[in-house]
Amino acid sequence: MTWFEERIAPGAFLKLQAERTLYSGQSDFQDLAVFETAAFGRVLALDGVVQTTERDEFIYHEMLTHLPLFAHGAARRVLIIGGGDGGMLEEALKHPVERVTLVELDPKVVEVSRQWLPSICGGAFDDPRTDLVIGDGAAFVAETDARYDLVIVDSPDPIGPATVLFSHPFYENCQRCLSPGGILVTQNGVPFLHEDEVTGTHRHLHRLFPQTGFYLAPVPTYTGGFMAFGWASERNLAEPPSDLEARIAAAGLPLAYYNPGIHRAAFALPEYVRKLLD
Ligand code: SAM
């Protein structure tokens, strides 16, 4: 038994008891580790930062897929930037979408996740609707002619190769890739500890989109309180469709966090977050 420690802020750490290391190695881009814990099941860490865990991945993945997909109501083509663990892909494929393109920089993350995290990715990578692209997400959105109803940025925090996924040109190209009425949603960290992840994204999206904002959900291993999800579109995502309950009921999906009440409540921002957007 060993201890996994992630520094979450100066003088603050997340510490997990690792009962068994399932994989540990270095790819061309980062250090990868998958280990077994009593508290959160299997954990994927990249460069020593928790990316996803078997026990709480459902909160994060449900909130970045079902909320925008039910808000949109007719999404057929989805783009996921990052997301190499396959959890976001698996959740998005529960909807009647035609294609989901996933652009992951590091093929090792996909390989290790498929082998050691089947409870997170399931068979998503083998779904005939899945397009797996190995490459830089920023280059992809700059070059593609494809258009998407939903773009999900499932990136790590803005460190190393992920830094570009928080840049103005990247968001500008995400906007270019959206079909009319399309929606962009982004992983935007824990505002209590990393205010600049929210203020930076807000500054960019506010300049590019008619409607933008954030919604929240508590993801236990993203320590520090609520996690923020950025959104941007021509439509105001904070005003759910009038038939939201009917849309969710008709889909009949197996949900463990997301529901109509959570959809509405997620947009209620506490003052310390709202003030970041002024
Ligand atoms: N849920 C996690 C979080 O909130 O931090 C993110 C999960 S997913 C594992 C993040 C993925 O983004 C990693 O597999 C990483 O390799 C990938 N990634 C980092 N920079 C990228 C880039 N520029 N283009 C595409 N994928 C990138």
Side-chain angles (χ1 to χ4, degrees), residues 218-233:
V219 183
T221 49
Y222 299 150
T223 318
F226 288 113
M227 174 169 227
F229 306 108
W231 64 266
S233 179

Side-chain angles (χ1 to χ4, degrees), residues 83-87 89 93 102 110 113-114 121-128 130 132:
D85 55 69
L89 177 63
L93 287 168
L102 186 144
V110 176
S113 299
R114 293 184 75 151
C121 61
F125 288 111
D126 300 316
D127 190 302
T130 296
L132 173 62

